[in-house]
Amino acid sequence: MEKQKIFENMWIRTLLWLCAIAAFLLVCYYLKGILISLFLAFTVAYIVDPLLDIIAKRRFLFFKKGLPRSLAIVVLLTGMLFMAGGAAAYTIPKTLHGVQRVGAVLKKQYPKYQENVELFIETYKDTGIATFLKTQLGIQNGSEKETQEKRTGLMKFALATIKNIFQGAFGLAGIIINIIVFGVVTIYLLKDFDFVIIKCRNLLPVSKKEKISEIFGKINENLKAFLRGQITVCIILSIIYGIGLTVIGVPLSYLIAIMGGFGNVIPYIGIMLGLVPALILTFIQYQDITHLILVVAVFGVGQFFESTIITPKIVGTKLGLHPVAIILSILICSQILGFLGLLLAVPIVAVAKVLIDEGLLRYKNTNFFKGS
């Protein structure tokens, strides 16, 4: 009886929750390699499940009651593969053409900045970007080795960039294992997503099931408001940036548009990821202030519509998180858990907001708050 009274104390329960959260973060820290794949798989299943339900309910040919779940998954994955293949077929040649275009302009403008560029190359001669510049500008020193470096400079630069991005998080074996885990778990979750949710709900204690279900319902609304809504916002922003930058004639406009649009997931970061390279490439291409002003205007228009129309209409105020809270959560979680923390930051802060709101509501109903 005395033990039951102890657990009824709000502060004891709060302490237990904090200990549980700390234990969860500790486990995530030590298992972050495999958890990245698991979390990405759950995220994909969580986002795609409504679309899969729509496909499964459609009546095709002999399936009068709708497609079997497994066949619906095949249809969905096939469609996604075709879309990915089409996107790759469009973007890869366009990217190579854009890089060559920038290289040609650099070569044309090289005499104006020859002294500074040569000093940079001499200082950073062993880096990928220096090799890339030597290749694009045709700088020679007569040696056979240098000629070979020019031929493979762009490829080395690209491979070095990819290696730097992924080397910190995974080794080669880790990448293969995580891709396999991601694929298997994603298909499993897509097949049995609703079943898994029901099973988890049945494990809740009967006396607390209604309240816990209510809390998880709020968390679900918050996450859906962010994930599905924010993805839509990012796509719309990418289209706005892409059209504007293409009209201006900015090199690699579609790539910059995607970076700026989807970088908007992190407040204020998206515009930096898009605007800075856009200004640099525009200056290299045109060497005038007019085009720079037009680039700034495109991003300004995109941000204006995003803050006044797009986000309020699509995402709404369900998440209710201040941009500073999102940025801090991303910085803290990424510092603690690395790349996994970057993925978990917004879900964690969304869950924390619901729990904090619930805790504050209970606190305001205590005798301590009321002064009695």
Side-chain angles (χ1 to χ4, degrees), residues 355-372:
L355 296 179
I356 290 172
D357 289 344
E358 186 67 25
L360 289 174
L361 184 62
R362 290 182 172 239
Y363 166 68
K364 290 179 179 179
N365 289 326
T366 60
N367 293 332
F368 176 77
F369 178 78
K370 294 179 180 178
S372 59

Side-chain angles (χ1 to χ4, degrees), residues 23-238:
F24 169 76
L25 292 175
L26 189 63
V27 171
C28 288
Y29 178 79
Y30 285 108
L31 300 178
K32 57 186 177 182
I34 195 69
L35 285 178
I36 290 174
S37 296
L38 295 177
F39 177 76
L40 286 175
F42 180 81
T43 302
V44 170
Y46 179 78
I47 295 173
V48 173
D49 182 65
L51 179 59
L52 189 61
D53 290 338
I54 294 173
I55 295 174
K57 292 176 182 177
R58 299 283 295 180
R59 297 178 181 178
F60 293 96
L61 299 176
F62 305 106
F63 304 99
K64 301 300 182 181
K65 295 182 179 181
L67 291 178
R69 187 84 173 178
S70 300
L71 186 56
I73 293 173
V74 173
V75 172
L76 178 64
L77 293 180
T78 302
M80 293 175 68
L81 285 174
F82 273 113
M83 290 176 62
Y90 173 78
T91 57
I92 292 175
K94 199 169 181 64
T95 300
L96 293 175
H97 175 73
V99 171
Q100 292 173 354
R101 178 182 169 188
V102 173
V105 175
L106 281 173
K107 189 172 183 179
K108 182 179 179 181
Q109 299 292 336
Y110 174 59
K112 298 180 182 178
Y113 312 102
Q114 181 174 358
E115 185 177 345
N116 293 332
V117 173
E118 288 182 349
L119 179 61
F120 177 86
I121 292 174
E122 181 64 29
T123 305
Y124 302 99
K125 57 185 176 182
D126 296 326
T127 62
I129 190 170
T131 304
F132 170 71
L133 287 173
K134 285 189 287 186
T135 302
Q136 294 299 320
L137 299 175
I139 300 175
Q140 303 180 16
N141 60 6
S143 69
E144 183 178 347
K145 182 178 178 181
E146 186 70 20
T147 304
Q148 184 65 25
E149 282 184 356
K150 288 195 301 175
R151 292 174 181 173
T152 60
L154 180 58
M155 183 62 69
K156 285 183 178 180
F157 177 67
L159 291 176
T161 303
I162 295 172
K163 181 180 177 182
N164 290 334
I165 291 173
F166 291 103
Q167 192 174 29
F170 311 107
L172 179 60
I175 292 175
I176 296 173
I177 292 172
N178 278 278
I179 289 174
I180 294 173
V181 170
F182 169 75
V184 172
V185 175
T186 300
I187 293 174
Y188 168 76
L189 285 175
L190 285 174
K191 184 176 182 297
D192 296 318
F193 191 82
D194 297 333
F195 178 75
V196 170
I197 297 298
I198 293 172
K199 281 291 185 183
C200 292
R201 187 175 295 168
N202 290 336
L203 293 175
L204 298 175
V206 177
S207 60
K208 304 289 185 181
K209 180 179 287 189
E210 185 176 344
K211 187 61 181 178
I212 295 175
S213 297
E214 180 187 342
I215 292 174
F216 274 100
K218 293 178 181 177
I219 292 173
N220 183 48
E221 287 183 7
N222 278 359
L223 291 178
K224 281 197 292 188
F226 180 81
L227 291 173
R228 294 169 187 166
Q230 195 65 45
I231 288 174
T232 305
V233 171
C234 292
I235 292 173
I236 294 174
L237 273 180
S238 297

Side-chain angles (χ1 to χ4, degrees), residues 275-294:
L275 182 60
V276 173
L279 289 174
I280 293 173
L281 292 176
T282 302
F283 181 75
I284 291 174
Q285 179 72 25
Y286 297 105
Q287 302 277 312
D288 63 25
I289 193 67
T290 303
H291 285 84
L292 297 180
I293 294 174
L294 290 174

Side-chain angles (χ1 to χ4, degrees), residues 309-338:
I309 298 175
I310 301 173
T311 296
K313 292 292 184 182
I314 296 175
V315 178
T317 57
K318 287 184 179 179
L319 193 60
L321 292 174
H322 195 279
V324 174
I326 296 177
I327 292 173
L328 286 176
S329 68
I330 289 171
L331 291 175
I332 294 171
C333 291
S334 61
Q335 184 68 30
I336 297 173
L337 301 174

